[in-house]
Amino acid sequence: MTDHDEATAVPPLTLAWVSRHLAAGERVLGTETLHGGITARMRRLTVGTRDGRTRDLVLRCFVSPFSRQHAEDWLNREAHALSALRGTGVPAPELVAVDPTAARCEYPSLLMTHRAGRTVLDDEELEWRVPLLARQLVAIHGLRPARRPRKYVTLTTPDTVVVPDGADPAAWAAAIDIIRRPAPPGAGRFLHRDFQPGNVLFDVPPGRPSKTWITGVVDWAAASWGPADLDVAHCSTILALLHGPAWGPRFAEAYQEAGGVPAADADERLYWQVRDALACSEEVEPVARAWREAGRTELTRRVVEERLDAYVRTLLDTPR
C-alpha cells in the first residue's frame, strides 16, 4: 500500500476480501479517498496486474452508525442495479463483489469497477451540461430491467420539514400543504433516485465545452421503481441549490426537450418538485459541507438555505 493514512488505508479484513476478488497475480498497490459523498466512505484502489500495468477499482464502505443501519438494503439495491445496467449503454460501474452485512469486512462494503471522468460542480459551461444530464436521465428512465428494483420510498413528512431561518413563512406553509396530499401514482420507471451532478462523471476537454460528455453515472444505492418525476425533481432541486433557483425549472424543461415524459398533470409535477425541495431542507448542512469539501467554498449553509427558500418560492409562483 502506498498510502497508510487512517482515512485512506483499507482495513485488513476488507483488504483481504478485496484481494480474493482480484485476478491471479493482482494486488492492491495504493488507495485514494474520493470526496463528495455523504453516507459512505469511498476509495479508489489502484490494482497492479500480472503484466505490470495497473487498473482502478472503487470501494464503498458504510462506516457511520446511521449508514450501517441501512447498509444491507442500500448495498443490495446497488448490486442489483449495477447487474441490471450491465450492457444497457448506461455508463455505470460494473459490480465486482458485495458484502452487505459485513460478514467478511469491517463494514458493509461494495467493490466495483472505476469509471473515468470527474464530477463538475462549478457554474461554468452549465448550459452545456444540463442538456447532457437531461438526456442521460431520459435514457435511464427508458430501461426496462427483467427484475424491477423495489418501489421508491419518500421519508419527508409535513412534520419533518425544516423551514430555514428568514424563509417566507407563507410560501413554506403552502408548500407543506402540498405534500399533505396523497402521492400521485404516476407511471413506473427505472429510477436512480439520487441523479444529480455529484453522481455524474464528465470528460471535460479544457476550453471545449461542446466536446463534453458523460463518462459515468455512479451511486445506485437508492435505485427504485416509480414516477419519473421523482428523479427530475431531485436533479432540479440540486441544480437550484448549486447554481441558483432558475436552474431547477430549466432542468425540468431540458428533460422534456430530451424526450422525457413527466406526469401530464402539472399539479402532479409540482407535488414531486415541492416534495424534493422540502426533503432537502432536512439535510442542508451535510449537503453544503460536501460541496465545500469538493471546492465550492462559497456554499455555506446560509447560502444554500437562501437558495432553497428562493427555489420553493419559484416553484409556487410558476404558472400551472
Side-chain angles (χ1 to χ4, degrees), residues 254-301:
Y255 177 79
Q256 293 190 62
E257 291 166 0
V261 184
D265 188 288
D267 285 336
E268 289 189 21
R269 298 195 299 272
L270 179 66
Y271 176 91
W272 294 117
Q273 290 165 339
V274 168
R275 177 175 278 281
D276 194 87
L278 298 187
C280 282
S281 77
E282 302 175 26
E283 50 185 19
V284 166
E285 178 51 36
V287 167
R289 186 189 313 119
W291 289 341
R292 291 194 300 273
E293 291 173 353
R296 293 294 304 272
T297 56
E298 80 282 10
L299 292 180
T300 63
R301 175 173 185 153

Side-chain angles (χ1 to χ4, degrees), residues 118-126 129 242-243 296:
R118 62 184 178 90
T119 56
V120 183
L121 303 181
D122 56 47
D123 293 332
E124 294 182 4
E125 301 173 350
L126 189 58
R129 297 197 305 276
L242 266 174
H243 307 295
R296 293 294 304 272

Side-chain angles (χ1 to χ4, degrees), residues 34-40 42 60 78 93 115 117-122 126 129 133 192-202 214-220 234-243 251 287 290-291 294 296 299:
L34 300 177
H35 296 286
I38 296 175
T39 58
M42 304 290 292
R60 178 198 297 277
E78 183 155 33
R115 298 290 311 189
R118 62 184 178 90
T119 56
V120 183
L121 303 181
D122 56 47
L126 189 58
R129 297 197 305 276
L133 289 168
H192 183 283
R193 282 297 276 138
D194 192 14
F195 185 85
Q196 41 94 0
N199 286 328
V200 178
L201 306 176
F202 290 89
I214 290 174
T215 60
V217 181
V218 299
D219 195 354
W220 294 85
H234 185 60
C235 193
S236 295
T237 300
I238 298 302
L239 287 169
L241 302 187
L242 266 174
H243 307 295
F251 178 76
V287 167
W291 289 341
R296 293 294 304 272
L299 292 180

Side-chain angles (χ1 to χ4, degrees), residues 34-312:
L34 300 177
H35 296 286
I38 296 175
T39 58
R41 178 175 292 170
M42 304 290 292
R43 300 180 181 88
R44 180 166 61 187
L45 311 182
T46 300
V47 176
T49 63
R50 292 183 64 180
D51 59 4
R53 301 181 183 182
T54 61
R55 66 186 182 102
D56 291 333
L57 298 175
V58 173
L59 175 67
R60 178 198 297 277
C61 299
F62 287 102
V63 176
S64 72
F66 170 78
S67 65
R68 293 179 70 177
Q69 294 176 23
H70 304 276
E72 183 174 4
D73 176 48
W74 289 344
L75 289 179
N76 281 328
R77 281 177 184 255
E78 183 155 33
H80 293 155
L82 295 182
S83 297
L85 289 164
R86 187 168 185 172
T88 63
V90 173
E94 293 185 9
L95 177 68
V96 176
V98 62
D99 182 11
T101 61
R104 297 175 177 83
C105 303
E106 283 83 354
Y107 305 104
S109 302
L110 183 142
L111 185 66
M112 61 191 132
T113 59
H114 175 263
R115 298 290 311 189
R118 62 184 178 90
T119 56
V120 183
L121 303 181
D122 56 47
D123 293 332
E124 294 182 4
E125 301 173 350
L126 189 58
E127 67 276 7
W128 291 98
R129 297 197 305 276
V130 165
L132 294 178
L133 289 168
R135 289 196 291 271
Q136 183 62 76
L137 188 56
V138 170
I140 292 169
H141 290 168
L143 299 178
R144 296 294 181 269
R147 177 184 175 188
R148 291 181 179 180
R150 291 170 55 182
K151 183 181 177 181
Y152 73 91
V153 295
T154 57
L155 302 179
T156 301
T157 71
D159 296 327
T160 57
V161 172
V162 180
V163 180
D165 292 338
D168 183 331
W172 280 73
I176 290 171
D177 280 343
I178 287 174
I179 69 168
R180 295 186 192 279
R181 308 172 191 165
R189 294 287 186 272
F190 185 79
L191 305 179
H192 183 283
R193 282 297 276 138
D194 192 14
F195 185 85
Q196 41 94 0
N199 286 328
V200 178
L201 306 176
F202 290 89
D203 177 64
V204 188
R208 302 174 67 191
S210 63
K211 300 298 182 182
T212 297
W213 57 295
I214 290 174
T215 60
V217 181
V218 299
D219 195 354
W220 294 85
S224 309
W225 188 261
D229 288 280
L230 276 81
D231 272 351
V232 177
H234 185 60
C235 193
S236 295
T237 300
I238 298 302
L239 287 169
L241 302 187
L242 266 174
H243 307 295
W247 284 102
R250 178 66 191 96
F251 178 76
E253 294 169 2
Y255 177 79
Q256 293 190 62
E257 291 166 0
V261 184
D265 188 288
D267 285 336
E268 289 189 21
R269 298 195 299 272
L270 179 66
Y271 176 91
W272 294 117
Q273 290 165 339
V274 168
R275 177 175 278 281
D276 194 87
L278 298 187
C280 282
S281 77
E282 302 175 26
E283 50 185 19
V284 166
E285 178 51 36
V287 167
R289 186 189 313 119
W291 289 341
R292 291 194 300 273
E293 291 173 353
R296 293 294 304 272
T297 56
E298 80 282 10
L299 292 180
T300 63
R301 175 173 185 153
R302 186 60 190 148
V303 168
V304 174
E305 287 179 334
E306 289 173 348
R307 290 185 174 184
L308 180 59
D309 177 45
Y311 179 54
V312 168

